[in-house]
Amino acid sequence: MSAARVIRGAGQTLVLTLPERGQPRIAAWGAFVLPSETAFRALGDLMARSSRINGMDENVPAAVLLPTGGMGFFGAPAIAGHRGGRDFLMEFSEWTERETKPGRTVLVGRDRVAELSLIIEIDASGSVLSMRATLVNDGADDFVLDRCMAGSLLVDADHDEVLTFEGGWGREFHARRERLGSGLFIKENRRGRTSHDRFPAIILGRPGFGELSGPVAGLTLGWSGNHQIIVDRLDDGRRIVHAGELFEPGEFVLAAGEAYTSPLVYIGFGRDLDALAARFRDHARTKILTWPGIGPRPVTLNTWEGTYFAHDLANLKAQADAAAAIGIERFVLDDGWFGRRDDDTTSLGDWWVDPRKYPNGLGALVDHVTGLGMEFGLWVEPEMVNPVSDLFRAHPDWALQLPGRALLPSRNQVVLDLTRAEVTDYLFGRIDAILSAHRISYLKWDMNRDLTAVGDASGRAATGGQVRAFYALVDRIREAHPHVEIESCASGGGRADWGALARTHRVWTSDCTDALERLEIQRGAALFLPPEVMGAHISASPNHQTARRHSLDFRAIVALPYHLGVEMSPLALNADERSALSAWIALHKRLRPLFHGGCAFRLPDRDGRHVHGVAARGTIVLIVAQASHPLLEHPAPIRLPGDIVDLFGGELARLALPAPQVPPFVRIHEAQARLLRGEVAVPAALIATVGITVPQMLPESAVLIEITRSAEG
């Protein structure tokens, strides 16, 4: 047994050994305190194990990184392929290790029989650990790669409850819990984009784990296409998890000297779900997002639900005037400005300004908006084309399609083949021209359908190639226009993974703006996404997706902690409504540094109540949302986590309900009223032990409580 390789960081310790034959062996992995280096002298003896009578005679390891099959490991292989039906077994050896920079380890192994090399990169320099794999064809003949996962995660046998995320359009990021059995647990996505229904993440823990109970381990894949997550039970009861890109048949054939590099998988541990989420959010902020020179997230007006396709320059200017007056900082012109786009059946691909709606171009509107002190943003959907368009009539071969197979429209559109250079050159040219001609600071980049019959010009499967070409196009636009921010929208939250986030500045969490639905949507998304990148808009009542009617207070409080926007025409509001909306926007701006930079936390749901908040030194903002009518007569006290309350440093605290909200309490005792009016100072420590009793609230309502230091009682 070779010496141990110890990878420390990201709140975890990974202990590996590099054997003479086979994959790196996992000796220990978790959020534990590392013993002294001398303790690893007996590691080989500790890891040794014998098989049952009719098992293998050799000491076959139980847990390895990226296992391969056929040589004593009988579980699901993380890497598989063949060379014309041969070299289907892989056994890497001659492992070498190098640390390319602090916290980053690169392991390299070779299989001289199959003529392959495997490179495993492990980076523990952030808040979570990242891993990816590269397989190199060292042989002279083509190698067909069937599977190459990005990385593996090992957890104890008692981590047999999994949390995954499902949903659909308008209902993304809904948590689903399941107990693991003795067989494989597999989640696959074949939609060609990240998807609404199978977000690429999984969390494992002991049964019943939650916001304040654990421990837990989890991973998320930074990839915007087809993916696969496999949980396998090892023959000693522990679970090993693999995550990576899902290949179509024959999609990756490596010629001599060619290599495949997987997406990155991000792995974290936490004492509970809230601690794990904090690690994921911090890593996204510090390692994934690339925002040089980007300031506070501007409050946005998006014109879609207030205008749809009925663009009228005078009306849009009036909306901009009203928006600026209530404190909005960015005006985004949504779908309908190009081609002859009067509905969703035509003109995608024709990225020229519609002369009927804008006879003098977009300049008049852009200049008006920027003259009011707001930024100007624009909606685009570059990856799609309508069959009824000048572009499709001129270049029908530019659509993703396979010979002899039907071209299957969805939402009246088909998909452009981004793997063709002439297609991406055209798209870059049109977007570059628009951005170069106008003071545009923001692109809402939409992607409104799943992919079908994804074949390139040669007829080969190209799902992964399409995703990589999308990445390259966005990278090219950002390099040419570094001042332009980009939103990743895909019919809402259909492309909200870390692969997309590494190239963009925010995600549109869902097309559903109903505040009640958003409680669950934003709860799931916030496990992986910082609040400042999650688009959350105050929309009209009744809501355009659900027809529910909600108070402005409820709609505003649910959206307030995130990247706030307005999804309605301000011209549709009366004077009182505009005044109230202006006050909510002002409150968001005052609290924005805390919302987008503080320590976020969430408590377990209880009796229909969603409780979450954010804290910094001397300040806590607590949001309590009552989704349904409660069962209990008296609401349970809200006890804040001790580490959150500790930010007060043992001082007194006062509570307040900042304007403009009208508290939605059914009844309130005078003592509670005095407390919530800030007339009583309480020791901060009591908020963690005794808690705060918030009065019973009306269903589908919310209250925002601000807790600040008090110099005296």
Side-chain angles (χ1 to χ4, degrees), residues 170-189:
R171 201 169 164 79
E172 298 90 331
F173 294 105
H174 276 250
R176 177 181 176 84
R177 289 177 180 264
E178 298 176 74
R179 290 293 295 274
L180 295 172
S182 59
L184 287 176
F185 176 92
I186 302 177
K187 280 281 190 180
E188 291 185 345
N189 167 52

Side-chain angles (χ1 to χ4, degrees), residues 620-637:
I620 299 174
V621 171
L622 184 67
I623 291 174
V624 183
Q626 187 70 44
S628 59
H629 192 72
L631 292 172
L632 302 175
E633 182 176 353
H634 298 289

Side-chain angles (χ1 to χ4, degrees), residues 329-620:
E329 300 161 306
R330 174 183 285 160
F331 181 98
V332 178
L333 185 66
D334 211 287
D335 195 358
W337 58 269
F338 55 93
R340 299 180 65 84
R341 183 78 165 172
D342 296 327
D343 55 39
D344 65 359
T345 66
T346 182
S347 298
L348 281 176
D350 300 340
W351 299 109
W352 282 268
V353 177
D354 186 344
R356 302 169 306 154
K357 299 175 182 178
Y358 301 94
N360 297 312
L362 280 179
L365 180 59
V366 174
D367 291 345
H368 184 80
V369 167
T370 56
L372 293 167
M374 292 187 292
E375 297 178 5
F376 187 88
L378 195 65
W379 180 94
V380 292
E381 191 175 3
E383 297 156 78
M384 305 301 164
V385 62
N386 288 124
V388 181
S389 67
D390 293 341
L391 180 65
F392 188 82
R393 282 187 287 267
H395 299 286
D397 56 317
W398 283 12
L400 275 177
Q401 55 194 301
L402 288 170
R405 302 298 180 189
L407 194 60
L408 300 173
S410 174
R411 293 184 56 152
N412 302 300
Q413 57 195 39
V414 295
V415 186
L416 290 170
D417 182 358
L418 301 188
T419 68
R420 299 176 63 142
E422 62 269 33
V423 174
T424 52
D425 285 346
Y426 166 79
L427 293 173
F428 174 80
R430 293 310 313 144
I431 296 171
D432 177 65
I434 294 164
L435 296 178
S436 298
H438 304 94
R439 290 180 60 192
I440 295 173
S441 305
Y442 182 83
L443 283 180
K444 179 180 178 181
W445 187 304
D446 213 342
M447 193 264 202
N448 275 313
R449 62 157 291 176
D450 298 327
L451 306 189
T452 54
V454 189
D456 61 17
S458 70
R460 300 279 296 270
T463 309
Q466 182 79 359
V467 176
R468 289 175 174 85
F470 156 70
Y471 287 167
L473 178 58
V474 176
D475 291 346
R476 185 177 176 187
I477 291 168
R478 284 197 61 180
E479 183 177 1
H481 301 277
H483 68 285
V484 175
E485 296 185 30
I486 299 177
E487 172 185 327
S488 177
C489 176
S491 318
R495 192 156 62 188
D497 64 278
W498 283 10
L501 193 62
R503 295 164 169 83
T504 55
H505 302 78
R506 87 166 199 169
V507 299
W508 182 224
T509 325
S510 177
D511 277 348
C512 183
T513 55
D514 181 301
L516 183 63
E517 297 292 340
R518 278 289 184 131
L519 288 175
E520 285 292 345
I521 293 168
Q522 292 167 180
R523 178 188 184 186
L527 289 170
F528 303 96
L529 301 174
E532 62 267 29
V533 305
M534 293 168 53
H537 290 185
I538 303 169
S539 61
S541 181
N543 181 265
H544 287 207
Q545 289 80 45
T546 66
R548 287 195 186 103
R549 296 180 181 273
H550 289 135
S551 70
L552 178 58
D553 284 11
F554 184 51
R555 288 176 279 152
I557 292 173
V558 171
L560 216 65
Y562 306 102
H563 189 170
L564 183 66
V566 174
E567 191 74 27
M568 56 182 165
S569 171
L571 302 178
L573 304 175
N574 61 38
D576 290 342
E577 290 169 332
R578 286 194 207 182
S579 177
L581 181 56
S582 178
W584 279 114
I585 291 171
L587 179 61
H588 168 80
K589 289 179 179 178
R590 178 170 71 80
L591 297 176
R592 182 164 53 190
L594 178 64
F595 284 145
H596 296 172
C599 177
F601 63 91
R602 182 175 292 272
L603 303 184
D605 291 355
R606 181 176 296 177
D607 203 11
R609 278 196 171 182
H610 294 245
V611 181
H612 63 101
V614 62
R617 181 66 61 182
T619 305
I620 299 174

